[in-house]
Structure formats: C-alpha cells, structure tokens
Amino acid sequence: MKSWIQKALEYLKKSLGKVAVELNELDWKESLSPNNAKLCQHISAFANMPGGGFIVFGIKNDTKEVIGVSTDDATSIVDKFASLCRDGVEPLVSIDYSIEKYQDKDILIIYIKESAIKPVFLHGKTLEDSFIRSGGSSRKASRPEVGAMMLNSKSPTWEELHASKLLSEIEVITLLDFSKILELLKKPAPSDLKEIMNWLEDEKMLVNADGKGYYITNFGAITAAKDLKDFDGLVRKSIRLIKYEGKNKAGASKEFPGRKGYAIGFEALIAFIRGLLEDSEIVKNALRVDTSLYPEIALRELVANTLIHQDFTIRGTGPMVEIFDDRIVFTNPGRLLPTKKIDRLIRTTPESRNEILAAAFRRYNICEERGSGFEKAVISIELYGLPPLIFEELENSFRVTMYAPKTYAEMTNDERIEAAYQHSIISYFATGGFNNTSLRERFGMHDKQASQISLLIKDAITAGKIKPKEEENVSKKFSRYIPYWA
C-alpha cells in the first residue's frame, strides 16, 4: 500500500466520525460534479496546501453513508481530474489515485499532490485566482496569502522543464537511449517496460502525467536523446566541434555538429576529438612512441565542464570546442556564477547552475569527483609540460584555452606567471607550497636555470599572484610560496 493511502484513510475516519468534521486535508463527495470551475478551485486549494490533500468519492453528501463507486465511474472521475490538472490550473498539478475497500464498499481516493511551484491558480487567470483550504472548504486566497505561497515556492530548474509533448511509453524509448545510461551506471536492464518508465522517472528524465503519458524533461533529452534534433528547443544545444587548419580562423575549417545526448555521446565525442588531434613523436628510452599532445584527463574534464556549466536559458547558442594547430578552445554560453571569481576556479567549493546534470555526470563516471575537475586538469597539464590553462569570461560566455607544448622561452611572461600561480594552488593543497625546484621541474628546466625561476617567482609576487609562505625566511634557496589568498 502506498504511504499516502493510509494517511487518507485516517483522515476519512476522522471526518466521518460520530460528528461529521470538515477537514482541510480531505473532502468527500457522492459523485463527480459537472461544475469544472468548482473542481479546479478544489485542485488549486489542495495543491497549494502543505502535503497536498485528498478527495474521496463514494460517500453521500448529506448522510455520510458510504455507497461506493463503480469501476466505470471511478475511471471517468480519474480521467476528468487528470484533464483538469493539466488544462484547468497553472502550473500543471500531479495526482495519484487508488480504489480502496471502506466499510465493505469500493471508494475512490484522489490524492492531489502539493505543488512545488506556488501558487497554483486557475488556468487563463492571474495569481490572484488562487485558492486555499480553510475551515474544511476551498476559498479564494487573499493577496497576503498569495505572497506567502510565493515565498515558499520552488522555481523549476531548466533541467526539470518539459522538452517534449505528451508521449506514450513506446515513443519515449524510441527517443531516449536508456540502455546506454544503464550501461554507464553499470545497472541491469529492468524486466519490463513499466519498470523502465519508473526508473526513468526516478532518474528525473520523465514526468508521469497521471497515467496519461509522459513528458521527457530537458535533463532527460540533453543527456540521453538519440538525436537532439527530435527536440525543437534543444537543437542549438548540440555541441559544435570545429577543426581549423592553422592557428587562426582564417584557414579552412570543418565542423562536426553533435547529435546525441551529452551522456550517451560523451565517449564517442572524446574519441572523435582525439582522432582529430595530431599526435607528436617523442623519443623515450631509445624507442620512438606516439603520444597525444594533450592529456586525456584534461580533455575529458574540460569538455565535461563546457557541457555541464553552460547557461541553458541563453537561446540560439550552445557549447563549442574549437581545435587549432596550437590550442583547443572550449566555450560555453553563460558567464560565471556571481559567487565565482575567475582566479579561484581551481580547488574551490563546487557550484553549478545545472546541479542535476552535474550530479548525473559524476554518477555516470564521465567526469571526476565533485570540485576536482580543474585541479585534475591542471595536474595533468603540468605533467605534460604544457602552458597553463587560460580562463576568460567574455560578454555572455566563458572560455577555457588549453595550449599545445611550449618551451619556457616560447611562453609569454603572463603565461609563466599564470603557470606559477596554478602550480602554487596544486602544491598548496598537496604539500603546503612550492619552491624554486618544484617550479623549475614543472617547466622541465635544469638546475642551471634556477635563476630564471627566481626571477619568475619575483614577478609572480609583484603581480599579486603568490606570496612567501614564511615572510621571515630570508633564504631564497629554502623559501616556499603559496597562492595569494592562502
């Protein structure tokens, strides 16, 4: 038995006691009223009430006698309520129902669930056409009561909004590659179609429209769509992959637009990007081997970051990866969140405007642990001896650039200072700070170049990026340095 059923039966017993008691939580009726407006008022009132409420059918209005309902009448009542919950009030209200034995008669219990978005008001009307339960009946809410409901309302996230029209079970599995998501989660497939639908609901990929069908959510589509072109509002959110010939956009280019949902298409996307990148040849232990110019962990984290942290509310644009001969540029729509600073993105408290998507990518083992993505990327970049990551906040987007290998001499002084700063963050959390030796090793330089590193450390201190860990330590040889904010 569903937990709400027992609660409804307890309310019903209380209401039908020796003295009839009208309850805010429950109303009982003999049959379905033809007055749709009145029914919508009840739906609004129960949906606006904490915990929702119940309407019980099969009880005479005047005598309280339990007369029961027939199966056909129950079906008609449920159909009517499901229709009014979709089309008679705003926003859409969810219901559940059950036929239960009460005093040896079949009664129908309609459970009108509390709406997370309040107030629920009459369709086509204003917020002032909201209703609440008071004194065991439904009445119009006052302006202060409407304001109080708005304060307790949860605004839906972009991920929770509907991406599709009302669909059947077969239409859902035709559009979503649920088997790939199960594979990512390392879970066995459910035994039947109904279990699959329930699981997709639990994954927040579907919204059940009271047994009348399903809506695919934006989250469901953006992660698991077989083809994003099947969802009108998400076509421009497909990732764009562009390969340029040369170091700028003047040369020829090829574009490879993505079509699959982000999660089910992620591994293929990474493999495709790696295939486009030129491999470099190095000599190691007298053997010639091929190795990628870029570390895969950094590539994965930066692509995932681009997908996860975009602002989906910006229309007409989507995430983009641009490959040049000397760099890869990752761009996503939307500026940083107001709480974020561009020089504090490495090893800071994680925060995302798309928490459902971010959590899913971690559960699907697509990206690293929460908050460690940029840190892992920087560590791998240092191991490869690449220039530092460059973070840029543009007018309406955020961009990260990963450069191909450069020698210390080829880097600009700004790049060297940024590399020293990023090294200071990684070292601070690993060993408490860095010294001349560790920074020199980060650039792949030999002992005789220690003086160049000393000059760089001085420049980084002057630029306000780092500071000595111990101000009183006068020995430069043993001095350690930490980020300016540590």
Side-chain angles (χ1 to χ4, degrees):
M1 179 184 290
K2 299 176 183 177
S3 60
W4 65 261
I5 296 175
Q6 186 60 42
K7 184 185 295 186
L9 292 174
E10 290 173 0
Y11 281 133
L12 181 61
K13 183 178 180 181
K14 181 179 178 180
S15 181
L16 296 179
K18 291 183 179 180
V19 178
V21 178
E22 294 181 327
L23 303 177
N24 287 337
E25 295 83 2
L26 180 140
D27 198 358
W28 37 266
K29 298 185 178 299
E30 182 175 341
S31 58
L32 183 65
S33 168
N35 189 338
N36 287 350
K38 190 68 175 177
L39 291 175
C40 287
Q41 292 174 12
H42 286 313
I43 293 171
S44 168
F46 282 121
N48 285 327
M49 190 171 71
F54 310 94
I55 301 181
V56 180
F57 289 89
I59 300 171
K60 289 187 72 70
N61 295 329
D62 49 358
T63 65
K64 302 184 300 179
E65 179 188 356
V66 179
I67 59 174
V69 294
S70 67
T71 301
D72 289 344
D73 286 345
T75 300
S76 298
I77 293 169
V78 171
D79 286 346
K80 171 63 74 173
F81 267 84
S83 175
L84 293 176
C85 284
R86 289 196 304 271
D87 305 323
V89 294
E90 298 180 39
L92 179 148
V93 170
S94 294
I95 64 170
D96 201 353
Y97 66 92
S98 181
I99 296 177
E100 297 292 326
K101 283 288 184 184
Y102 192 81
Q103 296 181 7
D104 295 325
K105 300 288 178 61
D106 287 332
I107 60 171
L108 171 65
I109 308 174
I110 300 286
Y111 173 32
I112 300 172
K113 299 179 182 180
E114 178 187 2
S115 175
I117 309 166
K118 298 184 185 68
V120 173
F121 57 98
L122 304 186
H123 177 71
K125 303 290 186 178
T126 68
L127 292 179
E128 293 187 357
D129 292 287
S130 305
F131 287 77
I132 62 171
R133 294 289 290 178
S134 176
S137 61
S138 299
R139 66 165 175 81
K140 196 170 185 178
S142 65
R143 283 192 173 186
E145 287 167 336
V146 170
M149 285 189 283
M150 293 177 69
L151 289 174
N152 292 310
S153 174
K154 174 187 176 294
S155 298
T157 65
W158 179 88
E159 299 144 297
E160 295 170 312
L161 299 176
H162 299 169
S164 73
K165 60 181 178 64
L166 196 62
L167 303 171
S168 67
E169 294 173 340
I170 298 301
E171 288 174 319
V172 168
I173 63 173
T174 300
L175 293 172
L176 298 184
D177 189 352
F178 69 91
S179 60
K180 181 62 177 179
I181 299 297
L182 286 166
E183 181 183 324
L184 291 171
L185 291 169
K186 296 181 173 58
K187 285 188 173 183
S191 59
D192 57 41
L193 193 55
K194 180 59 68 175
E195 282 191 27
I196 292 172
M197 295 298 109
N198 291 338
W199 170 70
L200 288 172
E201 277 190 79
D202 292 340
E203 283 289 309
K204 300 183 179 179
M205 293 186 176
L206 295 184
V207 173
N208 187 335
D210 305 318
K212 299 302 178 183
Y214 300 88
Y215 294 101
I216 296 176
T217 63
N218 280 333
F219 166 69
I222 207 68
T223 54
K226 294 178 181 178
D227 193 336
L228 286 169
K229 289 184 178 179
D230 292 329
F231 300 88
D232 293 340
L234 300 179
V235 173
R236 295 299 299 272
K237 297 304 176 184
S238 301
I239 188 166
R240 295 176 60 199
L241 175 60
I242 306 174
K243 175 69 168 66
Y244 294 98
E245 300 296 333
K247 297 182 179 181
N248 55 50
K249 297 183 180 181
S253 66
K254 290 184 179 179
E255 182 169 347
F256 309 91
R259 298 182 62 177
K260 292 185 177 181
Y262 295 167
I264 66 170
F266 189 82
E267 293 300 334
L269 172 63
I270 296 297
F272 191 74
I273 292 174
R274 291 183 66 82
L276 292 176
L277 297 174
E278 292 182 0
D279 283 352
S280 64
E281 292 184 334
I282 61 172
V283 177
K284 185 177 182 181
N285 298 329
L287 297 174
R288 184 172 298 277
V289 297
D290 291 336
T291 183
S292 173
L293 288 173
Y294 304 99
E296 180 165 347
I297 189 169
L299 189 63
R300 292 177 66 89
E301 290 297 328
L302 296 177
V303 171
N305 180 80
T306 302
L307 297 175
I308 292 170
H309 298 300
Q310 63 180 297
D311 186 345
F312 284 101
T313 64
I314 298 177
R315 301 176 64 84
T317 184
M320 182 165 57
V321 177
E322 298 171 286
I323 301 175
F324 298 86
D325 284 355
D326 64 339
R327 67 195 186 280
I328 306 178
V329 181
F330 307 85
T331 307
N332 62 263
R335 296 168 62 86
L336 291 175
L337 293 172
T339 55
K340 293 292 185 181
K341 293 177 62 178
I342 200 163
D343 62 346
R344 293 301 314 277
L345 295 176
I346 304 169
R347 193 61 182 265
T348 56
T349 303
E351 187 178 3
S352 174
R353 54 170 59 91
N354 306 306
E355 282 294 341
I356 298 175
L357 182 60
F361 264 47
R362 290 190 295 273
R363 289 191 300 115
Y364 302 159
N365 296 308
I366 289 175
C367 59
E368 289 295 317
E369 291 297 325
R370 186 176 176 90
S372 66
F374 279 140
E375 181 182 11
K376 294 289 180 67
V378 170
I379 290 173
S380 64
I381 281 169
E382 289 197 352
L383 290 173
Y384 269 58
L386 304 185
L389 290 178
I390 302 300
F391 304 108
E392 299 173 275
E393 192 169 25
L394 308 179
E395 182 179 355
N396 209 20
S397 61
F398 179 71
R399 183 166 68 196
V400 182
T401 303
M402 179 168 59
Y403 283 94
K406 290 183 184 180
T407 65
Y408 185 81
E410 290 171 332
M411 292 186 199
T412 66
N413 200 50
D414 286 343
E415 286 178 323
R416 296 169 186 165
I417 290 173
E418 182 61 25
Y421 173 60
Q422 293 181 13
H423 182 69
S424 75
I425 300 173
I426 301 303
S427 300
Y428 175 69
F429 288 106
T431 61
F434 77 92
N435 57 19
N436 186 296
T437 301
S438 70
L439 186 57
R440 178 163 40 83
E441 291 173 349
R442 182 259 180 265
F443 287 110
M445 299 167 70
H446 52 71
D447 295 350
K448 294 181 179 180
Q449 294 174 296
S451 59
Q452 295 182 54
I453 297 300
S454 295
L455 289 175
L456 173 59
I457 291 173
K458 183 179 179 180
D459 289 345
I461 293 173
T462 302
K465 290 287 192 176
I466 64 173
K467 64 182 180 181
K469 185 175 183 179
E470 299 170 343
E471 295 288 351
E472 67 277 5
N473 191 344
V474 296
S475 172
K476 300 299 182 184
K477 182 178 180 181
F478 299 105
S479 291
R480 298 183 71 80
Y481 304 90
I482 57 180
Y484 74 90
W485 42 260

